[in-house]
Amino acid sequence: MSENLTTKMNAEESMPVALDTFGRPLRALRVSVTDRCNLRCQYCMPEEEYVWLPRETLLSFEEISRLANVFTSLGVDKVRITGGEPLLRKNLPSLISLLRTNAKITDIAMTTNGILLTEQAQSLYDAGLHRVTVSLDTLHADRFKTLTKRDTFAQVLEGIDTVGRIGFQDFKIDTVAMRGFNDDELVDLIEFGKKVGGEVRYIEYMDVGGANDWSSDKVLSCAEILQKLSAHYGLIEPIIEDSWAPANRFRLPDGTIFGIIASTTLPFCSTCDRSRLTADGMWYLCLYAKIGMDLRKPLRDGATEEEMRALLLSTWQHRVDRGAEQRKELEPANSRGRFVEIERLRQDPHLEMHARGG
Ligand code: SAM
Ligand code: SF4
Ligand code: SF4
């Protein structure tokens, strides 16, 4: 393929890389394997019941792997398994093994709430999972129960302990930082991370999907997080990285590294190389995208790999998404209202964060 404005060659691997309208490559794919979850985190699934994706529409592991092969032919080399709660999907290690047969995927990660990790972490590691991120927002059992509406804090801690001992290439702990909820735990979480061998990343609270309780005053900003941490630890050094990763990383005086994903106050859309595949095969080019592309239908209708590739390439080449920046641009006019009305969420579960994987 000749080099042009919308594809370039990845020098190391002589692989074509698809570029969107802002020149952003298609590099990272988040694959949701289920929309179901065993928690009800208030910022993600505030309701008890949802309209679930029909089971027959869920992609099989073989279908996910076929799609992954098309994505990697366009430059994807990182895959993150997510959900809903990904560990609720049966036999997940066999999906990891399938993905590992694709040599272009150099990094397979998973984001999980950790409840089922104790049972599954070793088989996931054996299957070839490189990295694990466990979401944990508090170290207080009572707060955990209030936030998640479930009493499974002990299982999460046990899961974290198991992951820390297995020796994955990378282990992170993701915490949604919320004013009035866990803003007094930032230091404790870093100390916990040190103890269990996980790098803590604070995520700014986002107003995506079903996060209908969101309000800007609940967002603990990157600046405030840094201020609180430096009041305790002293000088915090930013780490300068040539990276497309969403987190800004920092070093404490004792060398401990942590990250902040400042999606709300400092959106990083200009370097966003991620897209999302839902469990039923809808492809979204942005966390905030209201419309996605159905990849399941052409796949099940027998489209060839080359046809799927052309579809993905031309879609990515037309990508104009920069959702978090656009949400922020509404603020001066005070018009950052609810992102999606509840009625619309009920009609289209794909708009929910738990369907598109965060
Ligand atoms: N269930 C798994 C978990 O919680 O790790 C994976 C899916 S969850 C949707 C992925 C990530 O999205 C989690 O780290 C979660 O904390 C984050 N998340 C969900 N809703 C959010 C919100 N409104 N703002 C910021 N992060 C959110
Ligand atoms: Fe919480 Fe993840 Fe479940 Fe959402 S999908 S409710 S963030 S555990
Ligand atoms: Fe990427 Fe959309 Fe998130 Fe911006 S809002 S960083 S474009 S996924």
Side-chain angles (χ1 to χ4, degrees):
M1 180 188 291
S2 67
E3 194 169 326
N4 60 31
L5 283 176
T6 47
T7 56
K8 69 174 183 183
M9 298 304 281
N10 176 330
E12 279 165 29
E13 296 161 30
S14 327
M15 196 164 73
V17 175
L19 300 181
D20 72 5
T21 52
F22 299 127
R24 297 171 297 185
L26 173 57
R27 293 288 298 274
L29 182 67
R30 298 182 72 111
V31 178
S32 171
V33 290
T34 179
D35 57 331
R36 309 266 169 163
C37 191
N38 42 8
L39 292 183
R40 287 292 179 277
C41 304
Q42 281 168 24
Y43 51 70
C44 176
M45 297 182 83
E47 314 288 323
E48 193 56 39
E49 276 307 316
Y50 284 89
V51 178
W52 305 111
L53 302 176
R55 278 186 196 279
E56 68 280 6
T57 65
L58 300 191
L59 298 181
S60 66
F61 289 164
E62 201 262 332
E63 287 173 325
I64 293 174
S65 160
R66 275 169 57 204
L67 282 178
N69 292 345
V70 184
F71 277 103
T72 56
S73 74
L74 292 167
V76 165
D77 55 5
K78 294 184 180 60
V79 174
R80 179 170 290 271
I81 308 296
T82 174
E85 173 45 41
L87 298 180
L88 289 177
R89 180 85 187 245
K90 289 208 167 56
N91 302 325
L92 205 54
S94 60
L95 174 62
I96 307 297
S97 306
L98 256 185
L99 294 173
R100 281 298 299 263
T101 61
N102 181 336
K104 288 177 181 154
I105 303 176
T106 54
D107 179 27
I108 307 179
M110 172 179 295
T111 303
T112 168
N113 64 28
I115 295 172
L116 299 170
L117 265 178
T118 302
E119 299 139 50
Q120 301 192 29
Q122 186 64 51
S123 45
L124 289 162
Y125 177 82
D126 294 343
L129 183 67
H130 297 114
R131 303 192 292 128
V132 176
T133 300
V134 182
S135 303
L136 178 69
D137 301 320
T138 177
L139 295 169
H140 296 274
D142 55 338
R143 288 186 185 178
F144 181 91
K145 195 171 172 187
T146 307
L147 179 76
T148 66
K149 306 217 191 85
R150 299 290 185 271
D151 205 358
T152 48
F153 183 60
Q155 283 100 302
V156 176
L157 291 190
E158 206 189 325
I160 287 177
D161 189 52
T162 309
V163 168
R165 278 186 285 108
I166 283 180
F168 285 92
Q169 268 175 33
D170 181 71
F171 166 33
K172 293 204 168 69
I173 297 172
D174 277 8
T175 299
V176 180
M178 287 167 284
R179 191 186 317 286
F181 176 70
N182 57 4
D183 44 357
D184 58 345
E185 292 192 60
L186 303 185
V187 169
D188 292 348
L189 280 155
I190 296 253
E191 294 302 316
F192 175 75
K194 282 188 204 173
K195 209 168 71 188
V196 297
E199 182 178 318
V200 173
R201 294 192 304 183
Y202 300 103
I203 310 175
E204 286 183 353
Y205 189 8
M206 289 181 274
D207 56 350
V208 281
N212 290 319
D213 274 344
W214 186 92
S215 62
S216 58
D217 55 304
K218 289 185 188 157
V219 178
L220 199 64
S221 69
C222 173
E224 289 170 287
I225 295 169
L226 286 175
Q227 199 183 23
K228 279 176 185 288
L229 291 175
S230 51
H232 180 86
Y233 289 110
L235 194 67
I236 293 176
E237 181 198 346
I239 300 176
I240 312 298
E241 288 173 310
D242 182 18
S243 156
W244 292 73
N248 293 315
R249 293 169 88 222
F250 302 88
R251 190 177 288 108
L252 296 176
D254 72 356
T256 303
I257 291 175
F258 68 96
I260 303 181
I261 303 180
S263 334
T264 303
T265 66
L266 300 167
F268 37 84
C269 302
S270 61
T271 58
C272 177
D273 61 357
R274 283 172 298 288
S275 69
R276 295 166 162 82
L277 185 66
T278 63
D280 64 344
M282 293 292 291
W283 185 37
Y284 287 91
L285 306 188
C286 175
L287 192 50
Y288 284 91
K290 288 187 175 157
I291 297 171
M293 169 172 278
D294 181 1
L295 300 183
R296 183 182 79 246
K297 186 166 181 344
L299 192 72
R300 290 192 179 167
D301 283 352
T304 63
E305 193 165 325
E306 197 42 51
E307 285 165 343
M308 292 301 293
R309 189 172 179 283
L311 182 68
L312 265 53
L313 177 60
S314 78
T315 306
W316 188 261
Q317 286 173 337
H318 289 94
R319 179 185 191 234
V320 291
D321 298 75
R322 45 182 210 89
E325 286 180 354
Q326 285 171 323
R327 292 293 291 159
K328 192 168 153 57
E329 283 161 12
L330 297 172
E331 283 171 6
N334 241 350
S335 49
R336 188 167 185 161
R338 183 167 277 182
F339 178 55
V340 189
E341 288 306 321
I342 291 185
E343 275 320 305
R344 179 141 184 231
L345 279 171
R346 290 201 178 116
Q347 283 157 15
D348 188 357
H350 296 99
L351 293 168
E352 297 278 4
M353 183 76 149
H354 67 267
R356 60 181 61 181

